Amino acid sequence: MKRLIPLVPTGLAIVLLAASPMNAVAAEEISSLRGPLALEGQKSPPPVFKLKLDLEKFDRNFKTQPPLIPHKVKKYKINLKANRCLKCHDKATYKEEESPMIGVSHYLDKDGKEGKKINMKRYFCTQCHVPQVDAKPLVSNTFKGTK
Ligand code: HEC
Ligand code: HEC
């Protein structure tokens, strides 16, 4: 209700509220993330958020969570011919590159046997691993990770 009032001339608002308080409640319930903009209205674009890069690692929220990426990834290509992530994180190269090794689970085939090369099920890293930006959640939530 609070949001509706500034949009409508005061006199009209009072009439509306007095006449049909239920409608006002309904309007409040369907207010969207766009806010109370008219259909044709354009919201100014959201700011470009900064990547969170100041950490060495992100805490994991549960045991089987794919860890979040604490570095830039924009220039690291992953396609049929090349996978830049592997050049630093593969078990053959990680020591030299001083990077954390990819989990052993990524090398297991369907029978649970560990291979020398990454299993193709885990080839497209960014299908599961993502960097984070410094943005507030759009809707609040009460999620808490396990320890
Ligand atoms: C130039 C080397 C390099 C490349 C390329 C690279 N990484 Fe990393 N990565 C690192 C290093 C070093 C760390 C350790 C944290 C740090 O210093 O930023 C890391 C950390 C991570 C972590 C966090 C691990 C954990 O246990 O928390 C993930 C996940 C990750 N990288 C995924 C990727 C993915 C996916 C790509 C490709 C899109 C990629 N990395 C490309 C060097 C690299
Ligand atoms: C299908 C989802 C999936 C894909 C694809 C995937 N990962 Fe992971 N990754 C995970 C999960 C889940 C974990 C945490 C549990 C584990 O180690 O298996 C993990 C763990 C890791 C870790 C931390 C290992 C540790 O021991 O702490 C690194 C580094 C990593 N992945 C890098 C990569 C890179 C690089 C690629 C691409 C070549 C990749 N992952 C592809 C799901 C995935």
Side-chain angles (χ1 to χ4, degrees):
M1 256 185 272
K2 270 185 214 143
R3 275 199 213 142
L4 264 182
I5 293 166
L7 287 181
V8 197
T10 329
L12 185 56
I14 290 165
V15 172
L16 276 176
L17 292 178
S20 51
M22 289 307 285
N23 284 350
V25 171
E28 171 83 333
E29 272 166 11
I30 59 163
S31 102
S32 71
L33 292 173
R34 256 176 116 239
L37 273 179
L39 259 190
E40 325 77 64
Q42 284 286 334
K43 205 174 173 174
S44 51
V48 178
F49 294 110
K50 271 194 185 154
L51 279 178
K52 274 195 180 170
L53 301 169
D54 48 339
L55 308 148
E56 213 147 80
K57 280 185 175 183
F58 287 98
D59 288 338
R60 296 188 202 179
N61 289 311
F62 51 93
K63 213 177 162 191
T64 50
Q65 179 194 347
L68 297 163
I69 306 175
H71 56 68
K72 290 182 190 168
V73 291
K74 209 172 159 189
K75 290 186 182 156
Y76 298 155
K77 277 195 191 139
I78 306 174
N79 58 36
L80 272 182
K81 287 185 188 142
N83 183 328
R84 184 68 180 89
C85 318
L86 281 177
K87 289 212 165 121
C88 288
H89 288 287
D90 192 27
K91 56 180 181 186
T93 52
Y94 80 98
K95 273 192 197 147
E96 217 175 293
E97 300 293 338
E98 294 176 21
S99 309
M101 191 191 112
I102 300 175
V104 173
S105 58
H106 298 40
Y107 293 87
L108 304 180
D109 64 15
K110 64 175 172 29
D111 304 317
K113 234 181 87 192
E114 190 177 336
K116 274 190 183 154
K117 286 191 173 168
I118 191 143
N119 193 276
M120 287 313 269
K121 283 186 296 193
R122 298 287 177 106
Y123 187 79
F124 293 99
C125 320
T126 43
Q127 178 190 334
C128 302
H129 297 282
V130 288
Q132 293 291 288
V133 292
D134 209 0
K136 273 195 200 146
L138 291 174
V139 278
S140 59
N141 70 78
T142 55
F143 176 79
K144 277 198 189 110
T146 55
K147 284 194 183 140

mmCIF file with all atom_site columns, all heavy atoms in Angstrom, residues 105-119:
data_model
loop_
_atom_site.group_PDB
_atom_site.id
_atom_site.type_symbol
_atom_site.label_atom_id
_atom_site.label_alt_id
_atom_site.label_comp_id
_atom_site.label_asym_id
_atom_site.label_entity_id
_atom_site.label_seq_id
_atom_site.pdbx_PDB_ins_code
_atom_site.Cartn_x
_atom_site.Cartn_y
_atom_site.Cartn_z
_atom_site.occupancy
_atom_site.B_iso_or_equiv
_atom_site.pdbx_formal_charge
_atom_site.auth_seq_id
_atom_site.auth_comp_id
_atom_site.auth_asym_id
_atom_site.auth_atom_id
_atom_site.pdbx_PDB_model_num
ATOM 1   N N   . SER A 1 105 ? 37.328 -36.981 -8.325  1.00 0.00 ? 105 SER A N   1
ATOM 2   C CA  . SER A 1 105 ? 36.033 -37.375 -8.887  1.00 0.00 ? 105 SER A CA  1
ATOM 3   C C   . SER A 1 105 ? 35.896 -37.028 -10.377 1.00 0.00 ? 105 SER A C   1
ATOM 4   O O   . SER A 1 105 ? 35.189 -37.694 -11.113 1.00 0.00 ? 105 SER A O   1
ATOM 5   C CB  . SER A 1 105 ? 34.917 -36.681 -8.117  1.00 0.00 ? 105 SER A CB  1
ATOM 6   O OG  . SER A 1 105 ? 35.090 -35.278 -8.191  1.00 0.00 ? 105 SER A OG  1
ATOM 7   N N   . HIS A 1 106 ? 36.627 -35.983 -10.808 1.00 0.00 ? 106 HIS A N   1
ATOM 8   C CA  . HIS A 1 106 ? 36.524 -35.534 -12.196 1.00 0.00 ? 106 HIS A CA  1
ATOM 9   C C   . HIS A 1 106 ? 37.232 -36.477 -13.174 1.00 0.00 ? 106 HIS A C   1
ATOM 10  O O   . HIS A 1 106 ? 37.106 -36.319 -14.376 1.00 0.00 ? 106 HIS A O   1
ATOM 11  C CB  . HIS A 1 106 ? 37.126 -34.138 -12.350 1.00 0.00 ? 106 HIS A CB  1
ATOM 12  C CG  . HIS A 1 106 ? 36.429 -33.069 -11.558 1.00 0.00 ? 106 HIS A CG  1
ATOM 13  N ND1 . HIS A 1 106 ? 35.963 -33.255 -10.292 1.00 0.00 ? 106 HIS A ND1 1
ATOM 14  C CD2 . HIS A 1 106 ? 36.130 -31.777 -11.876 1.00 0.00 ? 106 HIS A CD2 1
ATOM 15  C CE1 . HIS A 1 106 ? 35.407 -32.139 -9.853  1.00 0.00 ? 106 HIS A CE1 1
ATOM 16  N NE2 . HIS A 1 106 ? 35.499 -31.228 -10.784 1.00 0.00 ? 106 HIS A NE2 1
ATOM 17  N N   . TYR A 1 107 ? 38.026 -37.390 -12.617 1.00 0.00 ? 107 TYR A N   1
ATOM 18  C CA  . TYR A 1 107 ? 38.786 -38.293 -13.490 1.00 0.00 ? 107 TYR A CA  1
ATOM 19  C C   . TYR A 1 107 ? 38.179 -39.693 -13.544 1.00 0.00 ? 107 TYR A C   1
ATOM 20  O O   . TYR A 1 107 ? 38.700 -40.575 -14.209 1.00 0.00 ? 107 TYR A O   1
ATOM 21  C CB  . TYR A 1 107 ? 40.242 -38.378 -13.011 1.00 0.00 ? 107 TYR A CB  1
ATOM 22  C CG  . TYR A 1 107 ? 40.969 -37.067 -13.183 1.00 0.00 ? 107 TYR A CG  1
ATOM 23  C CD1 . TYR A 1 107 ? 40.918 -36.081 -12.189 1.00 0.00 ? 107 TYR A CD1 1
ATOM 24  C CD2 . TYR A 1 107 ? 41.675 -36.774 -14.356 1.00 0.00 ? 107 TYR A CD2 1
ATOM 25  C CE1 . TYR A 1 107 ? 41.545 -34.859 -12.349 1.00 0.00 ? 107 TYR A CE1 1
ATOM 26  C CE2 . TYR A 1 107 ? 42.305 -35.568 -14.520 1.00 0.00 ? 107 TYR A CE2 1
ATOM 27  C CZ  . TYR A 1 107 ? 42.246 -34.602 -13.519 1.00 0.00 ? 107 TYR A CZ  1
ATOM 28  O OH  . TYR A 1 107 ? 42.861 -33.396 -13.696 1.00 0.00 ? 107 TYR A OH  1
ATOM 29  N N   . LEU A 1 108 ? 37.093 -39.902 -12.801 1.00 0.00 ? 108 LEU A N   1
ATOM 30  C CA  . LEU A 1 108 ? 36.503 -41.232 -12.752 1.00 0.00 ? 108 LEU A CA  1
ATOM 31  C C   . LEU A 1 108 ? 35.583 -41.463 -13.945 1.00 0.00 ? 108 LEU A C   1
ATOM 32  O O   . LEU A 1 108 ? 34.811 -40.591 -14.320 1.00 0.00 ? 108 LEU A O   1
ATOM 33  C CB  . LEU A 1 108 ? 35.711 -41.406 -11.446 1.00 0.00 ? 108 LEU A CB  1
ATOM 34  C CG  . LEU A 1 108 ? 36.485 -41.155 -10.147 1.00 0.00 ? 108 LEU A CG  1
ATOM 35  C CD1 . LEU A 1 108 ? 35.573 -41.363 -8.941  1.00 0.00 ? 108 LEU A CD1 1
ATOM 36  C CD2 . LEU A 1 108 ? 37.725 -42.041 -10.047 1.00 0.00 ? 108 LEU A CD2 1
ATOM 37  N N   . ASP A 1 109 ? 35.676 -42.688 -14.511 1.00 0.00 ? 109 ASP A N   1
ATOM 38  C CA  . ASP A 1 109 ? 34.745 -43.009 -15.600 1.00 0.00 ? 109 ASP A CA  1
ATOM 39  C C   . ASP A 1 109 ? 33.472 -43.610 -15.014 1.00 0.00 ? 109 ASP A C   1
ATOM 40  O O   . ASP A 1 109 ? 33.301 -43.657 -13.801 1.00 0.00 ? 109 ASP A O   1
ATOM 41  C CB  . ASP A 1 109 ? 35.401 -43.953 -16.633 1.00 0.00 ? 109 ASP A CB  1
ATOM 42  C CG  . ASP A 1 109 ? 35.754 -45.314 -16.038 1.00 0.00 ? 109 ASP A CG  1
ATOM 43  O OD1 . ASP A 1 109 ? 35.252 -45.642 -14.942 1.00 0.00 ? 109 ASP A OD1 1
ATOM 44  O OD2 . ASP A 1 109 ? 36.535 -46.048 -16.678 1.00 0.00 ? 109 ASP A OD2 1
ATOM 45  N N   . LYS A 1 110 ? 32.594 -44.097 -15.877 1.00 0.00 ? 110 LYS A N   1
ATOM 46  C CA  . LYS A 1 110 ? 31.288 -44.549 -15.372 1.00 0.00 ? 110 LYS A CA  1
ATOM 47  C C   . LYS A 1 110 ? 31.407 -45.767 -14.459 1.00 0.00 ? 110 LYS A C   1
ATOM 48  O O   . LYS A 1 110 ? 30.501 -46.058 -13.687 1.00 0.00 ? 110 LYS A O   1
ATOM 49  C CB  . LYS A 1 110 ? 30.322 -44.812 -16.524 1.00 0.00 ? 110 LYS A CB  1
ATOM 50  C CG  . LYS A 1 110 ? 30.704 -45.926 -17.474 1.00 0.00 ? 110 LYS A CG  1
ATOM 51  C CD  . LYS A 1 110 ? 29.591 -46.126 -18.483 1.00 0.00 ? 110 LYS A CD  1
ATOM 52  C CE  . LYS A 1 110 ? 29.899 -47.078 -19.603 1.00 0.00 ? 110 LYS A CE  1
ATOM 53  N NZ  . LYS A 1 110 ? 30.818 -48.160 -19.407 1.00 0.00 ? 110 LYS A NZ  1
ATOM 54  N N   . ASP A 1 111 ? 32.540 -46.490 -14.548 1.00 0.00 ? 111 ASP A N   1
ATOM 55  C CA  . ASP A 1 111 ? 32.728 -47.634 -13.654 1.00 0.00 ? 111 ASP A CA  1
ATOM 56  C C   . ASP A 1 111 ? 33.521 -47.256 -12.400 1.00 0.00 ? 111 ASP A C   1
ATOM 57  O O   . ASP A 1 111 ? 33.909 -48.121 -11.622 1.00 0.00 ? 111 ASP A O   1
ATOM 58  C CB  . ASP A 1 111 ? 33.461 -48.762 -14.399 1.00 0.00 ? 111 ASP A CB  1
ATOM 59  C CG  . ASP A 1 111 ? 32.715 -49.170 -15.663 1.00 0.00 ? 111 ASP A CG  1
ATOM 60  O OD1 . ASP A 1 111 ? 31.472 -49.288 -15.596 1.00 0.00 ? 111 ASP A OD1 1
ATOM 61  O OD2 . ASP A 1 111 ? 33.364 -49.338 -16.727 1.00 0.00 ? 111 ASP A OD2 1
ATOM 62  N N   . GLY A 1 112 ? 33.789 -45.978 -12.239 1.00 0.00 ? 112 GLY A N   1
ATOM 63  C CA  . GLY A 1 112 ? 34.507 -45.526 -11.056 1.00 0.00 ? 112 GLY A CA  1
ATOM 64  C C   . GLY A 1 112 ? 36.011 -45.690 -11.155 1.00 0.00 ? 112 GLY A C   1
ATOM 65  O O   . GLY A 1 112 ? 36.720 -45.609 -10.153 1.00 0.00 ? 112 GLY A O   1
ATOM 66  N N   . LYS A 1 113 ? 36.517 -45.952 -12.374 1.00 0.00 ? 113 LYS A N   1
ATOM 67  C CA  . LYS A 1 113 ? 37.963 -46.124 -12.548 1.00 0.00 ? 113 LYS A CA  1
ATOM 68  C C   . LYS A 1 113 ? 38.620 -44.792 -12.850 1.00 0.00 ? 113 LYS A C   1
ATOM 69  O O   . LYS A 1 113 ? 38.139 -44.026 -13.695 1.00 0.00 ? 113 LYS A O   1
ATOM 70  C CB  . LYS A 1 113 ? 38.230 -47.118 -13.693 1.00 0.00 ? 113 LYS A CB  1
ATOM 71  C CG  . LYS A 1 113 ? 39.136 -48.281 -13.263 1.00 0.00 ? 113 LYS A CG  1
ATOM 72  C CD  . LYS A 1 113 ? 39.398 -49.227 -14.429 1.00 0.00 ? 113 LYS A CD  1
ATOM 73  C CE  . LYS A 1 113 ? 40.599 -48.775 -15.255 1.00 0.00 ? 113 LYS A CE  1
ATOM 74  N NZ  . LYS A 1 113 ? 40.712 -49.474 -16.533 1.00 0.00 ? 113 LYS A NZ  1
ATOM 75  N N   . GLU A 1 114 ? 39.750 -44.494 -12.178 1.00 0.00 ? 114 GLU A N   1
ATOM 76  C CA  . GLU A 1 114 ? 40.402 -43.210 -12.391 1.00 0.00 ? 114 GLU A CA  1
ATOM 77  C C   . GLU A 1 114 ? 41.226 -43.204 -13.674 1.00 0.00 ? 114 GLU A C   1
ATOM 78  O O   . GLU A 1 114 ? 42.085 -44.070 -13.865 1.00 0.00 ? 114 GLU A O   1
ATOM 79  C CB  . GLU A 1 114 ? 41.302 -42.877 -11.188 1.00 0.00 ? 114 GLU A CB  1
ATOM 80  C CG  . GLU A 1 114 ? 41.812 -41.453 -11.250 1.00 0.00 ? 114 GLU A CG  1
ATOM 81  C CD  . GLU A 1 114 ? 42.660 -41.071 -10.034 1.00 0.00 ? 114 GLU A CD  1
ATOM 82  O OE1 . GLU A 1 114 ? 42.513 -41.691 -8.956  1.00 0.00 ? 114 GLU A OE1 1
ATOM 83  O OE2 . GLU A 1 114 ? 43.481 -40.152 -10.182 1.00 0.00 ? 114 GLU A OE2 1
ATOM 84  N N   . GLY A 1 115 ? 40.959 -42.246 -14.549 1.00 0.00 ? 115 GLY A N   1
ATOM 85  C CA  . GLY A 1 115 ? 41.702 -42.151 -15.801 1.00 0.00 ? 115 GLY A CA  1
ATOM 86  C C   . GLY A 1 115 ? 42.800 -41.102 -15.704 1.00 0.00 ? 115 GLY A C   1
ATOM 87  O O   . GLY A 1 115 ? 42.882 -40.356 -14.732 1.00 0.00 ? 115 GLY A O   1
ATOM 88  N N   . LYS A 1 116 ? 43.655 -41.051 -16.742 1.00 0.00 ? 116 LYS A N   1
ATOM 89  C CA  . LYS A 1 116 ? 44.732 -40.059 -16.761 1.00 0.00 ? 116 LYS A CA  1
ATOM 90  C C   . LYS A 1 116 ? 44.185 -38.693 -17.156 1.00 0.00 ? 116 LYS A C   1
ATOM 91  O O   . LYS A 1 116 ? 44.675 -37.663 -16.703 1.00 0.00 ? 116 LYS A O   1
ATOM 92  C CB  . LYS A 1 116 ? 45.798 -40.479 -17.772 1.00 0.00 ? 116 LYS A CB  1
ATOM 93  C CG  . LYS A 1 116 ? 46.819 -41.421 -17.172 1.00 0.00 ? 116 LYS A CG  1
ATOM 94  C CD  . LYS A 1 116 ? 47.995 -41.618 -18.114 1.00 0.00 ? 116 LYS A CD  1
ATOM 95  C CE  . LYS A 1 116 ? 48.956 -42.628 -17.520 1.00 0.00 ? 116 LYS A CE  1
ATOM 96  N NZ  . LYS A 1 116 ? 49.747 -43.312 -18.550 1.00 0.00 ? 116 LYS A NZ  1
ATOM 97  N N   . LYS A 1 117 ? 43.193 -38.727 -18.057 1.00 0.00 ? 117 LYS A N   1
ATOM 98  C CA  . LYS A 1 117 ? 42.607 -37.472 -18.524 1.00 0.00 ? 117 LYS A CA  1
ATOM 99  C C   . LYS A 1 117 ? 41.258 -37.245 -17.861 1.00 0.00 ? 117 LYS A C   1
ATOM 100 O O   . LYS A 1 117 ? 40.593 -38.197 -17.452 1.00 0.00 ? 117 LYS A O   1
ATOM 101 C CB  . LYS A 1 117 ? 42.411 -37.526 -20.040 1.00 0.00 ? 117 LYS A CB  1
ATOM 102 C CG  . LYS A 1 117 ? 43.703 -37.387 -20.786 1.00 0.00 ? 117 LYS A CG  1
ATOM 103 C CD  . LYS A 1 117 ? 43.437 -37.177 -22.250 1.00 0.00 ? 117 LYS A CD  1
ATOM 104 C CE  . LYS A 1 117 ? 44.733 -36.862 -22.980 1.00 0.00 ? 117 LYS A CE  1
ATOM 105 N NZ  . LYS A 1 117 ? 44.539 -36.925 -24.434 1.00 0.00 ? 117 LYS A NZ  1
ATOM 106 N N   . ILE A 1 118 ? 40.872 -35.981 -17.811 1.00 0.00 ? 118 ILE A N   1
ATOM 107 C CA  . ILE A 1 118 ? 39.588 -35.633 -17.209 1.00 0.00 ? 118 ILE A CA  1
ATOM 108 C C   . ILE A 1 118 ? 38.454 -36.359 -17.939 1.00 0.00 ? 118 ILE A C   1
ATOM 109 O O   . ILE A 1 118 ? 38.498 -36.511 -19.156 1.00 0.00 ? 118 ILE A O   1
ATOM 110 C CB  . ILE A 1 118 ? 39.372 -34.097 -17.222 1.00 0.00 ? 118 ILE A CB  1
ATOM 111 C CG1 . ILE A 1 118 ? 38.177 -33.718 -16.359 1.00 0.00 ? 118 ILE A CG1 1
ATOM 112 C CG2 . ILE A 1 118 ? 39.159 -33.580 -18.639 1.00 0.00 ? 118 ILE A CG2 1
ATOM 113 C CD1 . ILE A 1 118 ? 38.356 -32.454 -15.619 1.00 0.00 ? 118 ILE A CD1 1
ATOM 114 N N   . ASN A 1 119 ? 37.480 -36.831 -17.182 1.00 0.00 ? 119 ASN A N   1
ATOM 115 C CA  . ASN A 1 119 ? 36.326 -37.479 -17.810 1.00 0.00 ? 119 ASN A CA  1
ATOM 116 C C   . ASN A 1 119 ? 35.482 -36.425 -18.517 1.00 0.00 ? 119 ASN A C   1
ATOM 117 O O   . ASN A 1 119 ? 35.287 -35.332 -17.983 1.00 0.00 ? 119 ASN A O   1
ATOM 118 C CB  . ASN A 1 119 ? 35.513 -38.218 -16.741 1.00 0.00 ? 119 ASN A CB  1
ATOM 119 C CG  . ASN A 1 119 ? 34.500 -39.147 -17.378 1.00 0.00 ? 119 ASN A CG  1
ATOM 120 O OD1 . ASN A 1 119 ? 33.413 -38.715 -17.745 1.00 0.00 ? 119 ASN A OD1 1
ATOM 121 N ND2 . ASN A 1 119 ? 34.867 -40.398 -17.536 1.00 0.00 ? 119 ASN A ND2 1
#
